[in-house]
Amino acid sequence: MEMCGRLVVVLLMMMVGGGEAQLSQNFYRFSCPNVEAIVRQAVSKKLSQTFVTVPATLRLFFHDCFVEGCDASIMIQSPTGDAEKDASDNLSLAGDGFDTVIKAKQAVEATCPGVVSCADILAIAARDVVALSGGASFPVELGRRDGMISFRWRVPGNLPQPEFSFNLLAWIFRKNNLSVSDMVTLSGGHTVGFSHCSRFAKRLYSFNATNRVDPSLDPVYARQLMQACPQNMNPQVAVNMDPITPNAFDNAYYRDLLTGRGMFTSDQVLAAHPLSRPIVNNFASNPGSFSSAFSAAMVRLGRTGVKTGKQGQIRRDCTRFN
Ligand code: HEM
Ligand SMILES: *[C@@H]1O[C@H](CO)[C@@H](O)[C@H](O)[C@H]1NC(C)=O
Ligand SMILES: *[C@@H]1O[C@H](CO)[C@@H](O)[C@H](O)[C@H]1NC(C)=O
Ligand SMILES: CC(=O)N[C@H]1CO[C@H](CO)[C@@H](O)[C@@H]1O
């Protein structure tokens, strides 16, 4: 009887497990076999127009995944301005990331209408921009469905902030099933792209009661940043986050951290904390281990809160629910 009960439980668990659709690398092999080539072509074309395609698309993927899961909820445009993309955290999401996904979706729809989700197109595009700017390429998992929820009020608290402590950062990544190691690795995304001065000005001008300038900043770098970002600057001004090789997806970000040139507190704490410092040291001197770790961490990021099977929908227009 006892044995029988256990068997039923095991069988039930197997059925539930088996019924739960999973992401897979060849999800569209019959329904849209060329999807990856089509997306890549659209991404390459966009990249040939502007490099911003790279950081904009990568950051868009990260913000999408951390709010409601990787379900293209970030893409929704609301006539009343209350969608996820309208949250203040998204104010600085570059339009070129949205445009990349919209263009890629149009190209995919022309060949395989109504089959490929916007969430998957964003995941493929994020993989492609990394590879096209000198980073590693990796097989991307597919089969995500597009979400039905996108509200600006659901963003606060889900995205990490540049002034966050190590523990707060680690907690917010943990919530998304990502480890400290994944967090250090994915933060390497800051090897490309820009930050607006307002996101780190406090470190230059009003750090705390004893230090006007954040003492963890290299003093020469701090002076350069003050020149680029004078007090009362134009809020549109943005600076490269990786001062060494801003347009290459390489491991320079980690060398920046070791020399006090992390842009945000959230970057610099990774070089200071005993749990992350060894990882930073390894990536700084070992580009190959950064590349392979980044590929694996992107795959894990891409599994965050995904909808599969009959959940959600395949949006026809990424910016609107069907
Ligand atoms: C660890 C916590 C993180 C924090 C606190 C953080 C915060 C920020 C902030 C404040 C900016 C500047 C936005 C602006 O002023 O325009 C930024 C830019 C960026 N972030 Fe992060 N980020 C984090 C992790 C990540 C991750 C995991 C990725 C992707 C793997 C990523 C990719 C980017 C990219 C590519 C940019 C440049 C965007 C552009 O140039 O358009 N970030 N981040
Ligand atoms: C200011 O920051 C420094 C460096 O992080 C720290 O040692 C010091 O205790 C802080 N002072 C105050 C008043 O918070
Ligand atoms: C984290 O993993 C657990 C167990 O697999 C899963 O139930 C949960 O939905 C995941 N959370 C996210 C945000 O993906
Ligand atoms: C790119 C984009 O849609 N940014 C929006 C982010 O949110 C602010 C409001 O908080 C909008 O004004 C931006 O247009």
Side-chain angles (χ1 to χ4, degrees):
M1 201 50 213
E2 165 81 324
M3 275 290 284
C4 194
R6 263 191 215 160
L7 193 63
V8 169
V9 169
V10 168
L11 279 174
L12 262 174
M13 281 171 64
M14 283 170 65
M15 282 165 69
V16 169
E20 196 180 272
Q22 298 259 317
L23 300 181
S24 65
Q25 289 172 13
N26 50 11
F27 186 82
Y28 297 108
R29 78 181 163 276
F30 300 121
S31 56
C32 193
N34 293 328
V35 61
E36 293 189 42
I38 298 168
V39 172
R40 192 177 182 101
Q41 203 193 2
V43 172
S44 302
K45 186 172 173 210
K46 177 79 191 166
L47 177 57
S48 71
Q49 292 155 1
T50 170
F51 183 80
V52 180
T53 304
V54 173
T57 305
L58 182 59
R59 186 164 182 241
L60 192 62
F61 181 59
F62 171 52
H63 281 214
D64 184 38
C65 292
F66 265 41
V67 184
E68 314 290 356
C70 313
D71 67 349
S73 49
I74 192 86
M75 295 296 301
I76 294 293
Q77 272 168 24
S78 154
T80 50
D82 67 349
E84 192 174 310
K85 77 189 277 286
D86 300 307
S88 60
D89 267 309
N90 290 329
L91 225 153
S92 56
L93 285 171
D96 290 309
F98 294 93
D99 194 43
T100 301
V101 176
I102 291 166
K103 295 266 167 61
K105 172 70 170 178
Q106 282 164 356
V108 171
E109 287 297 291
T111 310
C112 325
V115 168
V116 182
S117 68
C118 298
D120 279 345
I121 289 175
L122 177 51
I124 299 170
R127 183 273 308 271
D128 288 350
V129 292
V130 169
L132 290 167
S133 56
S137 191
F138 52 91
V140 67
E141 293 181 341
L142 301 170
R144 296 169 193 79
R145 308 267 298 174
D146 295 327
M148 302 300 291
I149 295 172
S150 175
F151 288 116
R152 67 182 285 176
W153 59 267
R154 290 172 68 102
V155 175
N158 285 314
L159 288 172
Q161 297 301 316
E163 60 282 351
F164 272 11
S165 68
F166 179 89
N167 286 339
L168 210 42
L169 290 167
W171 172 80
I172 212 163
F173 276 76
R174 180 76 284 183
K175 265 204 325 181
N176 291 288
N177 290 338
L178 296 167
S179 66
V180 164
S181 177
D182 292 325
M183 171 172 101
V184 177
T185 308
L186 291 168
S187 295
H190 289 175
T191 186
V192 288
F194 300 96
S195 168
H196 293 82
C197 296
S198 60
R199 305 309 299 265
F200 57 88
K202 201 168 186 286
R203 298 184 74 201
L204 305 178
Y205 297 111
S206 53
F207 184 61
N208 70 14
T210 38
N211 298 86
R212 196 169 90 100
V213 184
D214 184 341
S216 70
L217 266 176
D218 170 70
V220 174
Y221 186 51
R223 274 198 297 280
Q224 288 168 356
L225 290 178
M226 286 175 189
Q227 261 159 24
C229 300
Q231 273 177 297
N232 309 317
M233 70 283 169
N234 173 345
Q236 309 275 6
V237 175
V239 300
N240 287 323
M241 291 196 291
D242 169 12
I244 309 180
T245 50
N247 289 2
F249 205 93
D250 58 13
N251 67 337
Y253 168 80
Y254 299 98
R255 284 182 275 130
D256 293 334
L257 295 186
L258 294 178
T259 54
R261 289 182 287 180
M263 176 114 286
F264 308 126
T265 299
S266 60
D267 296 312
Q268 205 56 58
V269 293
L270 303 178
H273 197 281
L275 281 178
S276 49
R277 186 172 177 92
I279 308 170
V280 170
N281 280 326
N282 176 28
F283 291 165
S285 56
N286 209 327
S289 62
F290 168 58
S291 280
S292 53
F294 194 81
S295 298
M298 283 287 279
V299 171
R300 282 193 285 275
L301 173 61
R303 291 176 185 158
T304 306
V306 293
K307 284 99 197 149
T308 54
K310 293 190 163 58
Q311 296 171 305
Q313 61 179 199
I314 304 294
R315 261 179 243 153
R316 280 185 291 274
D317 171 348
C318 293
T319 67
R320 292 193 308 194
F321 303 116
N322 289 345

